[in-house]
Amino acid sequence: MASSLTKDSVRPGTPGSGKTFFGHPRGLATLFMTEMWERFSYYGMRALLPLYLVAPGGLHLNAAAATAIYSVYVSLVYLLAMPGGWFGDRVWGPRKTVAVAGAVIMLGHLTLALPSSGTFYAGLGLVAIGSGLLKANISTMVGHLYDGPDDPRRDGGFTVFYMGINLGAFAAPLIIGTIGENVNWHLGFALAALGMALGLVQFLIGSRHLDARSSVVPKPLSADEKAATLRKSAIWAAVAVVFYAIVGFSGHYTLNWVLVPLTLLGVIIPVMVLVNIKRDKDLDRAEQSKMSAYIWFFVAAAVFWMIYDQGGSTLSIFADSSAENSVLGWDFPVSWYQSVNPVLIMALAPVFAWIWLALNRRGKEPSTIVKFASGLVLIGASFFLFMAPLSIAEGGHKAAALWLVAIYFVQTVGELTLSPVGLSVTTKMAPAKYASQMMGVWFLAVTAGDATTGLLSIAGVDLNKTGIVALQATLAVVAGVAVWMYRNRVKELMGDVH
């Protein structure tokens, strides 16, 4: 897609004047390709991760341990988006932060490619840190390409950018998954490193097309703030090193000594952030009211992501052991299921946009609250549907691949109902004081949901059991019904936001 550049002229002073990318500033091509390759590496590795963890040729863990590790990893990626945004705002600026992030991600995948279980977890940590650094800052640079929020090309630019995300997510399991499963796990991880390397190289070459604001540190740390931050970081790092050295040398160390604190942080930090914002006396009455309403959306989103992200762990592990992974007699790798969601997103997103627009013209578009409630009911319905292949497997048979495709379809429809609306309502309801931080708060809903899944797995709960799946499905549907029943109260708290 990067080759589809034209020489249409743009307004003088627009970043990348001269060549454009589908009518947008030339810098969008750089960011599009960077994000596409980064998502290629991220989703490719993620598709392999749970399968490698349970494989006899991999780490050969049980399903509960694999789900816990997967869930903690995903929750960390989203948890670290907030400090990643802070680095872009206060330390390096978005452009340098993204360049460093790309290098850290590439190093992480290369570490995963080493045939050693000892370095495997270090590799996961590096990929999570790099992804957190990159996530918030690359979107900020897309915004820099346009003349403020009212630029008519802005929404279209973000749409093109998000297509890069889904193209990378679609291709990754087909390529990295096939190599990892059929040839060698570590070669698959190395291929993810190559993908990130390609993205990083073209970012460095094409960064001249980005807006100058992308190199600026918006709110640089003062000398005193920098010294205080370094001092606190060093103290906490020393505490962690001493603690784990004592645990390790005393012979008590197990993986849970890392997993349990990280999952607890994934639940506690989102709660603390919301409580601190809610208790801030600088917020006026209207902002306090909107934050009360936002907590409803946040909790609903956490329940949604708790189930949704099991599409890459619980469902994948089930498919590996209990599904007939073939179509018309043609076998395919288990990781290919992870391409179903992005291809459905690309197919259905324009349809949903058209439906909302058509309903809006008639004055019948559902409210934000109703869309959220629908998303929760749909994600619950997907797990009620999951009970059918589970029952088939419990009867000693292999479940057909189309059962899993149907589950991913229902989850994707739920995602399109809830996720874009959640992003929009987050920006609309953000208090002025926290305007730049609220997107990170939204990502914390994903952290809370995945951390909850991690805690259940660490506790030894088998998430592939019919009773547990039914319980989660019921929780989501009940939460959706509760949001719908209290819609008038939430709408009242939202004030002038519709």
Side-chain angles (χ1 to χ4, degrees):
M1 295 184 83
S3 61
S4 302
L5 298 171
T6 65
K7 293 192 175 181
D8 301 331
S9 60
V10 292
R11 287 174 294 174
T14 300
S17 296
K19 289 184 178 181
T20 67
F21 182 66
F22 294 112
H24 293 273
R26 172 64 179 82
L28 184 61
T30 297
L31 299 176
F32 174 96
M33 294 297 290
T34 304
E35 182 72 352
M36 186 190 77
W37 282 116
E38 188 272 331
R39 291 290 88 181
F40 175 85
S41 70
Y42 174 78
Y43 282 106
M45 186 277 284
R46 210 173 92 163
L48 287 181
L49 180 57
L51 304 175
Y52 174 75
L53 291 171
V54 299
L59 296 189
H60 206 191
L61 303 175
N62 60 43
T67 302
I69 292 166
Y70 178 93
S71 301
V72 168
Y73 166 70
V74 175
S75 71
L76 268 180
V77 168
Y78 289 92
L79 179 64
L80 292 170
M82 279 196 81
W86 180 86
F87 261 88
D89 284 344
R90 308 297 308 273
V91 184
W92 289 329
R95 189 183 301 188
K96 184 176 180 180
T97 304
V98 166
V100 171
V104 172
I105 292 169
M106 182 179 67
L107 180 61
H109 287 303
L110 286 172
T111 306
L112 290 172
L114 298 174
S116 166
S117 59
T119 57
F120 182 79
Y121 299 107
L124 278 183
L126 287 170
V127 176
I129 290 167
S131 298
L133 285 170
L134 186 139
K135 200 162 191 65
N137 290 288
I138 195 163
S139 296
T140 299
M141 288 193 289
V142 174
H144 286 161
L145 296 172
Y146 300 95
D147 297 333
D150 297 326
D151 190 320
R153 301 169 302 162
R154 185 184 177 93
D155 285 351
F158 272 98
T159 300
V160 173
F161 176 71
Y162 288 128
M163 285 296 288
I165 293 174
N166 286 295
L167 278 173
F170 168 69
L174 302 180
I175 300 171
I176 294 175
T178 302
I179 298 296
E181 285 191 64
N182 294 342
V183 181
N184 181 276
W185 296 108
H186 297 287
L187 186 58
F189 295 135
L191 199 55
L194 176 61
M196 189 65 254
L198 291 171
L200 180 59
V201 168
Q202 71 83 39
F203 175 77
L204 294 174
I205 293 172
S207 60
R208 66 184 185 277
H209 299 292
L210 301 177
D211 188 86
R213 286 173 293 174
S214 297
S215 297
V216 174
V217 181
K219 301 173 185 175
L221 291 171
S222 66
D224 289 342
E225 287 176 319
K226 192 175 291 185
T229 301
L230 288 171
R231 186 169 59 252
K232 289 177 184 176
S233 301
I235 290 171
W236 281 110
V239 168
V241 168
V242 171
F243 175 77
Y244 283 104
I246 292 170
V247 172
F249 286 122
S250 65
H252 291 94
Y253 179 81
T254 66
L255 190 58
N256 281 350
W257 281 100
V258 175
L259 294 181
V260 172
L262 289 177
T263 49
L264 289 174
L265 284 174
V267 175
I268 293 168
I269 289 176
V271 172
M272 287 177 58
V273 169
L274 286 173
V275 168
N276 285 339
I277 295 175
K278 190 75 181 68
R279 293 174 62 186
D280 192 333
K281 290 182 169 45
D282 289 343
L283 304 189
D284 59 34
R285 182 175 295 180
E287 289 176 323
Q288 286 281 3
S289 180
K290 288 174 184 175
M291 280 308 300
S292 295
Y294 187 74
I295 289 170
W296 279 82
F297 294 114
F298 185 93
V299 173
V303 173
F304 179 90
W305 295 117
M306 180 185 75
I307 295 176
Y308 178 90
D309 275 345
Q310 288 182 58
S313 55
T314 304
L315 284 176
S316 188
I317 291 169
F318 172 82
D320 187 40
S321 62
S322 305
E324 188 68 52
N325 304 309
S326 64
V327 176
L328 300 175
W330 176 68
D331 295 336
F332 58 87
V334 175
S335 52
W336 282 24
Y337 285 112
Q338 301 309 308
S339 288
V340 174
N341 172 258
V343 77
L344 287 173
I345 288 283
M346 289 187 283
L348 295 177
V351 176
F352 269 74
W354 177 82
I355 290 171
W356 298 143
L357 210 57
L359 290 172
N360 183 266
R361 290 196 191 101
R362 299 173 189 173
K364 294 181 179 180
E365 182 181 0
S367 67
T368 296
I369 304 163
V370 172
K371 288 177 182 177
F372 253 76
S374 302
L376 280 168
V377 171
L378 284 164
I379 202 68
S382 77
F383 259 34
F384 278 126
L385 185 59
F386 184 25
M387 292 171 68
L390 279 173
S391 297
I392 292 169
E394 285 172 4
H397 303 286
K398 293 278 189 179
L402 287 179
W403 279 114
L404 292 167
V405 172
I407 294 167
Y408 286 119
F409 175 82
V410 175
Q411 291 190 344
T412 302
V413 173
E415 180 187 3
L416 288 169
T417 306
L418 180 141
S419 186
V421 179
L423 290 167
S424 176
V425 81
T426 297
T427 57
K428 289 177 182 176
M429 294 172 67
K433 182 177 178 179
Y434 297 96
S436 62
Q437 298 177 40
M438 282 301 287
M439 200 55 70
V441 174
W442 169 251
F443 289 140
L444 288 180
V446 187
T447 296
D450 282 307
T452 303
T453 303
L455 283 173
L456 289 172
S457 299
I458 290 169
V461 175
D462 186 349
L463 297 173
N464 265 316
K465 288 294 184 185
T466 304
I468 298 299
V469 169
L471 188 63
Q472 292 181 83
T474 302
L475 171 66
V477 171
V478 168
V481 171
V483 169
W484 183 80
M485 285 178 63
Y486 285 91
R487 65 192 182 282
N488 291 330
R489 173 63 180 150
V490 178
K491 196 178 293 184
E492 184 183 317
L493 289 169
M494 291 170 71
D496 58 356
V497 175
H498 302 291

